[in-house]
Amino acid sequence: MSSSLTSIYDNIAYALQLHGKAITKLQEQASSGNRVNRASDSPSDAYRIIGLNSQDRSLASYLGRVTELMDSMEMSSSLLSDMASDLADARTVVTQIVGGIYDAEGQKQVANRLNNTLEQLVSLANTKEGNQYLFGGTDTDAAPYRVVREGGKITQVIYEGSHEARSINVAPGLEVETFHVGDDIFRSDDRGDPVFLGETGAKAGTGTSNVRGDVWLTVDHDGTNYRLSIDDGATFVTVPAGGQTNQAVTDSRTGRVLYVDTTGINSTGVEMVRVPGTYDIFGTLISLRDALINERGVPRSELLDFIDRGAAAIEEVRNLVVQTNTSTGSKIAFLNTLKNHLEDTQFNVTDETTRLQQADVAQIAIDLSRREILYQMSLSVAGKLLSTSLLDFVQ
Amino acid sequence: MNDFGIALSGLRAAQTALDIVGNNVANAATEGYHRQRVELSALDSVPIGNVEIGAGVSVSGVTRLIDGLLEAEIRRQQSAHEQTSQELSILTSVESSLGEFTDTDGLNATLDAFFKALQNLAAHPQERVWQNEAISTAQTLAGEFRRLGTLMMGLEEQLLLEAKNTAASINSLVTQIAELNNKIQSIEISGQHANNLRDQRDSLIMSLSKLADTETVERPYGVVDVSIGRLPVVTGSMTMSLEAGLQSDGSLSVYVEGDEVATINVQAGRMGGLLALKNELLAGFESDLDALAKAIVSQVNQYHVQGLGQDGSFQQLIGWAMNGTDLSTTATPVTDGSFFLRLTNTTTGLVERHAIDVNVSAATPDTLDTIAAKIDAIDGVSASVVSSQLQITADLGYTFDFLPAVLSEPTTMNLTAGSPPTVAVSGLYNDSDNQTFTFRAVGGGSVGNGLLRLDVTDADGNIVTAVNIGAGYAAGDTLELDNGIKITLSLGQVNDGDSFEIEAFATADTSGLLAAAGMNVFFSGSGALDMEVCSEIANSPGRIATSLGRDLTDNMAALNMAGVQDEAVESLDGMTPSQYFHRIVADLGMEVSLKQSRQDNIEAMIQNLEQHRSEISAVNVNDEAALLLIYEKMFQAVAKYMSSIQTTMTTMMDLI
C-alpha cells in the first residue's frame, strides 16, 4: 500500500466522506423519526407507504361521511320516534272516543288535539339537520311538505320533495341512501279494495280506484236517477237505470276516480269510503279531525264506525313510521358496524405505515455511535501517518 | 587519465538525480503529477593498459512512472462517475420537489383532497360551502400540477444551458490539449523528455473525461489524439469544436459546431448525464406527469359536460380555443358519435332534445365549423366559431344544456284511443348504454281495469319487462323499471298495440366533442403545465355540474366525478390516477436509489484504482527522502574522489 501524500489524503477524504454521509443520513432519520424520508430511501417501501397514506386519508374521509350519515339517521330516527309516539297518543284518544268517554264538547277538544298533532307532524317532517331537510329525498334544499289551509286549519299536506333518494359513498364500492323520501315513508303503498261504510248500497266496482285514504261518497236522487259525487257535490255522475257494476266517479279537485258498483244503490246519503293501504299520516289525521267536527252531519253510528276504523288507519300509518324507524335503526346499526370496520382498517393501515416508515431509534443510536468512532479513527490514523516520516530522523 | 571525467560524470549524475528527487518532493501534493525517476547508466569502459576501466556514469533518461492502462480505466470511471453524479443531482432535486414524505402536502395528498371534496360535494350538492371546497381543492390540485410542470420546464432550460456551457468547456480543454501536443512534440522530437508537459496534458484529458467519454491514442513523439463519442476532437495540434442544442424533435444533442446533423453519441461524463436527463429520464417523468394531468382533466370533464349545477341551464356557453377547427387534432379525442342538446322554452316549459351527429372518419369529416352549423340550425339556439372557440347562445326565452335526463313525456306517442291517458316520465336512468325503450299495450281498455299491460322492449326488440296497467294498477301510481326509469299513466283508454317510446341516455355525448371543445367543462388544459379550473366554474360555484336529473337535486354527476379516483384509465396503463402517481414516485425513487448505489460503487472503484495508481505514480516522501540521502552521499563521495584525485595530482607535481 502506497503511503504517498496523495494516497494518504485520498484515503482520508474518502473515509471522511463515507462516514460523513452515513452520519448525515442517520441524523436525518433521528430527527425525523422516519426510516424512509424520501422515495429513494427504500423505493418498494415508499410505494407501499404512499399507498397506505392515500388509503388512510380515504378511510378518514369515509369515516367522516359515515359519522355524518349516522348523525342524520339518528336525528331521523328520533323524529320518527316522536311521530310514532304522537300517532300512538292520537290513536289512544280516538279509541277513547269510540269507547264513549268523550261527549260532544270532548270530541271537539279531541279534534283540536288531533289538529295540534297534525301541525306537529308537519313540522317534524319539515325538519332540517344542518342545512338539509331530512325527508325530502334528493331535494334537501327546500321543505318537502307544503300545507294548504282554510280558515287557518290545514286541509291538505302536499309532498313537494323529490321521489329519488340520494346515495353517497361510505366505503370502497359501497353506496348508501341518505335522506328519506317522505312520500315513501309517510304514505302507505299497499292499496286494498275500497270499503263502503254507509247504508246507501254502493259497493266497490271492478276497476282499481286511485283515490287515497278516506273519501266521502254523496248519493242523492234528482227525481229520476241516483247521482254520485266524491267532491262534496261539485260534480255528479248519473247512475243509469239498473246501475253499473263499474261506474267511475271522479273528484274534480284531484282528478282521482272511485269505481263504484251502483247496481245495489237503494238510498241516498253521505257515506265514508275507506281505501286501506293508501293512507298517509297527514290525510288520516285531517280526515279524523274533520270527522270529529262533523260538519257533514254524519249520523253518530256511522261516525263512530268511521272513527273506530280511523283508529285502525292511525295504527296503519303509525306502523309505517315504526317500520321506517326500525329500518333506520338497522341502517344505523349497519353504519355503526361499518364505522367500526373502517376504524379497524384505519388502525391497521396506520400500524403498517408506522412499521414501514418509522425508524428504530435504538438502532440509529448504535449506528451513529459506530460511525462516529470510525470517523474519529480515520482522522486519528491520518494524523499518525502524516506526523511521522523519514525526514524526522535524517540528521 | 580519465579521473576527472569520472568524477565530473558522477557529480553531474548526482546533481541531476538530486534535482529529480527535489522535483518529485516539490510536486508531492500536485494533482495529476506522476513521479519521475532518473535513469543512470554506466559509461562505456575505456581500455587502460590491460584493463578496461569504466568511464563514469551518465543520466540516460528521466522516466515518468505511469501505467497507461490504469490511467485509461480511471478516466473511464471518472467519466461514469460524473455522469451518475449529474443525473443524481437533478433527479434528487425532482424527488425533493414532489414533496412526498414531508410535512407539506405533496401531489398525492392534494389529489386525495380533491376527490374527497368531490365526495363531500356529492353528499351536499346544493350547499355553497361544499361547492367552494371542491373548487378550492381543484385549484390547489391544478396549481400543484402547474408547479411541477413549471419546475420541469425550468430544469429543461437549465439542462440546455449547462449543456452549452459544458460544450464550451470541452472546446476550451480540447484547444489546450492540442497546444500541449504541439509543445510536447517539438520537445521530444529533439530527443528530450517533456514529462511535466505530459502531466499537464494528462490532467487536461482527465478533466475532459469528466465532461464526456473520451478515448485516447498515443502517437509518436508524445502526441495524443483524443476522441469523444468516436469523433476525433484532437488530432495532433488540430481540433474540432462541439456544440450542444435542441433538435427539431425537442431532444438535446451534441454535434459538430455549425453542423446540427452531425450529432455525436456522448454516453458518459457530465454531458452524457445531461443528455440522458433531458432525453430520457426527465422526459419520461414529464410525460408521465402530463399523462396524469391530462387523464384527470378528461375523466372529470367527461362527466361534467353532461351535468348541471344549481345555476341551471345555460344562456350561453363558450368553449376553449382549439388548434384550428380540425377535429382530428384535438387534445381530447373526438370519435364518430352524437351529442344531445336539450332545449327548454322558459315560457311554455316545453323541453326538446336534439341530436347532433359527429362524423370524423368520413371522407369529408366534420369540423368545428360544420358542428356549429348543425347546432345553429336548431330553432332556439345559435352557434358559431369565433377565434377557434365554439360558441352556443340560446335565443331569448330559451335555455339549453346537455343533461341526459329523460324528458317528462315520451319522445313518440302512438295512442289511438279516443281519450288516451297522459304518460309522465321521470326517474334517473342507471344503465350503461343509451337506449330507446318501446312500451306497447297488450290488451285494450281503460287504465286500471281488466287485463291490460305494457310490454317494454329495447331498440333491438328484446323484451325488458312487462308492467301491469289494468286491474290492480291505480292510475297515477308510479311504475318503476329496474333501470331507474319511472312512468305514470293517468286515467284513459288504451287500444291493443298502442305504443310510446322513451329515450334513455347513459351519456349525452358519445363522440367526446363537448369535452374536446371545452363546453361546460370543469378543468381546462392538456397537461401539467396548463391545467386550470375553468374560470366560469371558479367564479360561480353553482355552475359545478352535480346533477344529471331533471330537477337538479340529485348528485349523480358529482358521484361520477368523485368516482374517477377509483377508475382504471386506459391512458394510465389501466391504473387509477392515484396508483399511477404512486408508481411515478416509486419509479423516480428507484431511479435515484439506483443512481446513488451506482455512484457509491464507482467511487469505491475509483478509490481502489487511485490507490493502485498512487503506488506507481505518486510521490512517497519517505522514498524520496531515502533517495535524497543516497544521492547526497553519492555527491559527497564523488566530491571526495575528486579531492583525492586532486591530491594525487598535486603529489605527482611535487615529485616532478
Side-chain angles (χ1 to χ4, degrees):
Chain A
M1 175 75 72
S2 166
S3 58
S4 64
L5 285 179
T6 311
S7 68
I8 292 171
Y9 168 76
D10 284 346
N11 283 337
I12 296 168
Y14 181 75
L16 292 179
Q17 186 198 29
L18 191 69
H19 299 311
K21 262 196 324 193
I23 289 170
T24 303
K25 194 173 173 67
L26 289 167
Q27 280 177 338
E28 184 188 38
Q29 289 180 353
S31 61
S32 69
N34 290 331
R35 185 177 61 87
V36 178
N37 288 294
R38 57 191 63 76
S40 54
D41 287 344
S42 176
S44 57
D45 285 346
Y47 181 77
R48 185 82 184 110
I49 290 167
I50 201 173
L52 288 170
N53 287 341
S54 276
Q55 190 180 3
D56 183 45
R57 281 190 287 269
S58 179
L59 288 168
S61 174
Y62 285 128
L63 276 167
R65 280 195 295 283
V66 167
T67 303
E68 188 186 338
L69 184 55
M70 282 176 70
D71 287 344
S72 71
M73 289 273 128
E74 279 162 3
M75 169 72 101
S76 297
S77 178
S78 172
L79 292 170
L80 290 169
S81 293
D82 289 345
M83 288 180 172
S85 176
D86 288 345
L87 288 169
D89 288 345
R91 186 196 59 192
T92 302
V93 294
V94 165
T95 307
Q96 286 171 348
I97 289 175
V98 175
I101 290 177
Y102 295 99
D103 57 11
E105 185 58 32
Q107 276 179 210
K108 285 193 170 58
Q109 295 295 326
V110 169
N112 282 336
R113 190 166 164 179
L114 288 181
N115 191 62
N116 291 338
T117 301
L118 174 65
E119 296 277 359
Q120 172 73 357
L121 288 178
V122 172
S123 172
L124 290 174
N126 280 338
T127 302
K128 267 169 114 161
E129 205 249 339
N131 291 321
Q132 302 187 84
Y133 287 95
L134 293 171
F135 296 109
T138 59
D139 191 359
T140 55
D141 213 32
Y145 286 96
R146 177 171 64 87
V147 298
V148 175
R149 295 179 185 275
E150 283 178 26
K153 283 213 170 90
I154 297 175
T155 55
Q156 225 179 338
V157 178
I158 302 168
Y159 180 73
E160 293 187 329
S162 166
H163 287 88
E164 306 291 337
R166 177 182 299 159
S167 295
I168 62 170
N169 280 326
V170 291
L174 180 63
E175 287 184 5
V176 169
E177 287 182 355
T178 55
F179 303 102
H180 294 293
V181 175
D183 206 35
D184 290 345
I185 64 171
F186 297 139
R187 183 168 64 89
S188 184
D189 196 21
D190 188 20
R191 181 180 290 273
D193 291 330
V195 177
F196 290 71
L197 301 177
E199 303 295 332
T200 64
K203 292 182 294 199
T206 56
T208 304
S209 305
N210 65 354
V211 289
R212 292 189 160 272
D214 299 323
V215 175
W216 292 99
L217 176 68
T218 304
V219 181
D220 77 358
H221 201 283
D222 62 3
T224 309
N225 296 92
Y226 284 108
R227 300 187 310 165
L228 304 179
S229 170
I230 60 172
D231 50 18
D232 292 327
T235 59
F236 282 93
V237 69
T238 302
V239 178
Q244 284 182 343
T245 56
N246 192 41
Q247 188 152 11
V249 186
T250 305
D251 186 333
S252 63
R253 300 165 299 189
T254 63
R256 293 188 178 272
V257 73
L258 173 69
Y259 287 104
V260 182
D261 182 347
T262 56
T263 56
I265 291 179
N266 53 31
S267 61
T268 60
V270 177
E271 68 178 297
M272 170 58 66
V273 180
R274 307 194 68 98
V275 187
T278 64
Y279 289 97
D280 69 88
I281 62 174
F282 309 109
T284 302
L285 290 176
I286 291 171
S287 292
L288 276 170
R289 180 200 65 194
D290 291 347
L292 285 170
I293 294 171
N294 199 14
E295 287 177 351
R296 288 186 176 85
V298 174
R300 185 164 175 80
S301 61
E302 270 187 49
L303 191 65
L304 285 175
D305 186 28
F306 168 73
I307 292 170
D308 187 31
R309 292 175 191 270
I314 291 178
E315 186 61 18
E316 181 181 314
V317 297
R318 196 188 80 88
N319 284 338
L320 279 179
V321 174
V322 167
Q323 277 167 24
T324 302
N325 199 15
T326 303
S327 111
T328 303
S330 299
K331 198 180 272 189
I332 293 172
F334 164 74
L335 289 172
N336 197 43
T337 304
L338 176 65
K339 184 179 171 194
N340 291 336
H341 172 71
L342 290 172
E343 284 171 345
D344 287 343
T345 306
Q346 192 180 37
F347 175 80
N348 291 335
V349 164
T350 307
D351 188 47
E352 187 172 356
T353 307
T354 303
R355 185 182 60 77
L356 286 170
Q357 191 168 16
Q358 216 168 55
D360 183 340
V361 179
Q363 187 62 46
I364 289 175
I366 292 168
D367 290 342
L368 205 51
S369 174
R370 181 172 145 270
R371 285 287 176 180
E372 280 177 339
I373 291 170
L374 289 173
Y375 190 88
Q376 288 168 12
M377 276 179 63
S378 300
L379 292 170
S380 172
V381 167
K384 286 190 189 315
L385 283 175
L386 287 170
S387 62
T388 310
S389 75
L390 179 60
L391 294 171
D392 297 329
F393 300 96
V394 171
Q395 293 178 1
Chain B
M1 286 176 71
N2 200 23
D3 305 326
F4 282 106
I6 291 171
L8 277 173
S9 75
L11 288 176
R12 280 199 208 101
Q15 187 68 49
T16 303
L18 284 170
D19 287 344
I20 298 298
V21 168
N23 188 46
N24 282 343
V25 171
N27 285 288
T30 302
E31 183 76 32
Y33 178 78
H34 296 80
R35 72 186 168 98
Q36 298 171 22
R37 185 179 62 195
V38 64
E39 302 296 337
L40 300 176
S41 59
L43 289 171
D44 290 338
S45 57
V46 173
I48 297 179
N50 295 329
V51 295
E52 294 280 335
I53 306 290
V57 63
S58 72
V59 176
S60 57
V62 178
T63 305
R64 184 166 157 258
L65 297 175
I66 184 171
D67 182 338
L69 288 175
L70 184 59
E71 295 291 325
E73 182 60 22
I74 291 175
R75 280 199 302 273
R76 201 174 67 80
Q77 293 299 331
Q78 286 285 8
S79 210
H81 182 266
E82 278 301 310
Q83 178 186 9
T84 307
S85 295
Q86 180 66 57
E87 292 169 356
L88 185 61
S89 169
I90 298 295
L91 289 177
T92 302
S93 72
V94 173
E95 186 186 42
S96 298
S97 71
L98 287 180
E100 304 297 330
F101 304 99
T102 63
D103 291 336
T104 57
D105 282 345
L107 186 58
N108 189 38
T110 309
L111 196 58
D112 290 341
F114 169 62
F115 286 115
K116 177 187 170 185
L118 288 179
Q119 291 282 6
N120 287 339
L121 180 63
H124 312 86
Q126 295 157 319
E127 293 182 56
R128 186 51 54 98
V129 65
W130 303 103
Q131 294 166 357
N132 284 335
E133 189 202 41
I135 291 172
S136 172
T137 54
Q139 287 174 325
T140 303
L141 177 67
E144 187 64 15
F145 270 111
R146 287 199 306 275
R147 181 184 70 82
L148 290 172
T150 305
L151 172 81
M152 298 310 298
M153 196 167 72
L155 278 175
E156 285 191 356
E157 289 169 0
Q158 181 188 333
L159 288 174
L160 176 61
L161 191 61
E162 282 194 28
K164 288 182 184 295
N165 290 339
T166 303
S169 298
I170 289 172
N171 292 339
S172 170
L173 287 169
V174 153
T175 304
Q176 292 173 60
I177 291 168
E179 284 170 2
L180 284 170
N181 268 347
N182 195 26
K183 287 180 186 170
I184 292 168
Q185 186 184 37
S186 62
I187 290 172
E188 295 200 359
I189 205 167
S190 62
Q192 302 294 314
H193 293 281
N195 289 331
N196 286 346
L197 290 177
R198 280 179 178 249
D199 279 347
Q200 285 180 40
R201 184 190 57 197
D202 284 353
S203 184
L204 291 173
I205 293 174
M206 182 65 74
S207 298
L208 184 65
S209 69
K210 291 181 180 177
L211 300 182
D213 51 325
T214 58
E215 286 174 5
T216 58
V217 175
E218 288 263 358
R219 297 272 182 236
Y221 303 113
V223 172
V224 168
D225 291 346
V226 181
S227 302
I228 291 177
R230 297 188 186 276
L231 175 79
V233 290
V234 177
T235 309
S237 57
M238 295 192 299
T239 63
M240 185 171 289
S241 292
L242 303 179
E243 214 175 325
L246 293 177
Q247 298 288 314
S248 57
D249 62 356
S251 64
L252 180 64
S253 69
V254 178
Y255 45 85
V256 175
E257 193 175 46
D259 186 359
E260 285 183 16
V261 178
T263 59
I264 303 161
N265 186 15
V266 179
Q267 294 195 330
R270 189 189 307 168
M271 185 65 89
L274 293 169
L275 293 176
L277 280 167
K278 171 70 175 74
N279 299 334
E280 294 163 22
L281 299 168
L282 291 188
F285 176 81
E286 200 174 351
S287 170
D288 286 347
L289 200 66
D290 276 341
L292 179 61
K294 190 173 173 183
I296 292 171
V297 168
S298 69
Q299 293 300 106
V300 170
N301 281 349
Q302 73 166 348
Y303 294 121
H304 195 274
V305 294
Q306 306 179 53
L308 279 182
Q310 248 184 323
D311 287 0
S313 301
F314 312 113
Q315 298 281 348
Q316 185 182 58
L317 274 181
I318 301 176
W320 54 41
M322 298 172 69
N323 294 332
T325 63
D326 183 0
L327 296 179
S328 64
T329 61
T330 55
T332 310
V334 177
T335 58
D336 290 349
S338 306
F339 65 92
F340 298 88
L341 184 142
R342 212 179 68 124
L343 189 64
T344 303
N345 184 319
T346 54
T347 307
T348 64
L350 178 66
V351 179
E352 297 172 338
R353 178 174 276 126
H354 299 271
I356 295 95
D357 293 329
V358 179
N359 196 333
V360 293
S361 64
T364 312
D366 274 317
T367 64
L368 203 61
D369 291 310
T370 62
I371 297 294
K374 289 180 186 179
I375 299 171
D376 198 54
I378 300 171
D379 285 338
V381 288
S382 56
S384 59
V385 177
V386 178
S387 304
S388 298
Q389 291 174 278
L390 178 62
Q391 295 186 15
I392 305 176
T393 307
D395 295 346
L396 195 63
Y398 288 88
T399 59
F400 70 93
D401 56 61
F402 307 104
L403 271 186
V406 288
L407 297 179
S408 58
E409 291 175 353
T411 38
T412 59
M413 297 263 277
N414 181 27
L415 301 177
T416 59
S419 53
T422 307
V423 181
V425 185
S426 63
L428 294 170
Y429 182 55
N430 57 29
D431 216 331
S432 56
D433 296 316
N434 292 356
Q435 264 294 354
T436 299
F437 295 102
T438 303
F439 293 72
R440 192 175 305 281
V442 177
S446 180
V447 173
N449 290 273
L451 293 173
L452 186 59
R453 74 171 194 267
L454 291 172
D455 282 349
V456 186
T457 54
D458 61 20
D460 295 328
N462 301 316
I463 293 182
V464 174
T465 190
V467 290
N468 174 44
I469 57 169
Y473 171 71
D477 279 359
T478 301
L479 296 162
E480 183 171 356
L481 306 185
D482 289 341
N483 55 28
I485 291 179
K486 299 177 183 176
I487 60 170
T488 306
L489 277 77
S490 70
L491 291 163
Q493 297 290 321
V494 175
N495 288 335
D496 184 42
D498 280 354
S499 66
F500 55 89
E501 285 183 351
I502 294 173
E503 284 184 331
F505 292 90
T507 174
D509 183 6
T510 59
S511 66
L513 180 116
L514 294 175
M519 306 302 285
N520 191 31
V521 291
F522 186 86
F523 283 118
S524 64
S526 58
L529 206 52
D530 59 356
M531 182 177 174
E532 276 190 33
V533 176
C534 287
S535 56
E536 295 86 357
I537 304 291
N539 296 332
S540 303
R543 275 284 303 272
I544 302 179
T546 52
S547 303
L548 293 179
R550 241 174 19 220
D551 59 0
L552 303 183
T553 60
D554 66 288
N555 65 347
M556 297 299 295
L559 269 181
N560 288 340
M561 288 193 289
V564 168
Q565 183 178 26
D566 298 319
E567 264 180 23
V569 182
E570 197 180 329
S571 64
L572 301 182
D573 299 335
M575 286 184 265
T576 68
S578 291
Q579 287 170 342
Y580 193 77
F581 182 68
H582 298 168
R583 193 187 77 172
I584 290 175
V585 173
D587 284 353
L588 180 63
M590 176 63 78
E591 197 68 49
V592 171
S593 177
L594 287 174
K595 296 291 177 207
Q596 184 65 61
S597 294
R598 183 169 151 79
Q599 186 186 53
D600 291 342
N601 290 340
I602 294 173
E603 281 174 357
M605 209 175 307
I606 290 173
Q607 176 66 13
N608 282 335
L609 289 171
E610 287 183 342
Q611 281 282 353
H612 192 191
R613 180 174 65 178
S614 292
E615 289 172 12
I616 297 169
S617 305
V619 174
N620 186 327
V621 174
N622 289 326
D623 286 351
E624 299 303 315
L627 286 173
L628 189 68
L629 287 174
I630 292 169
Y631 294 130
E632 184 188 354
K633 292 297 178 195
M634 175 183 163
F635 189 89
Q636 288 173 354
V638 170
K640 184 68 180 171
Y641 167 69
M642 186 173 257
S643 174
S644 298
I645 296 297
Q646 175 116 23
T647 304
T648 55
M649 293 297 289
T650 304
T651 303
M652 273 186 67
M653 291 303 292
D654 285 345
L655 287 177
I656 296 171

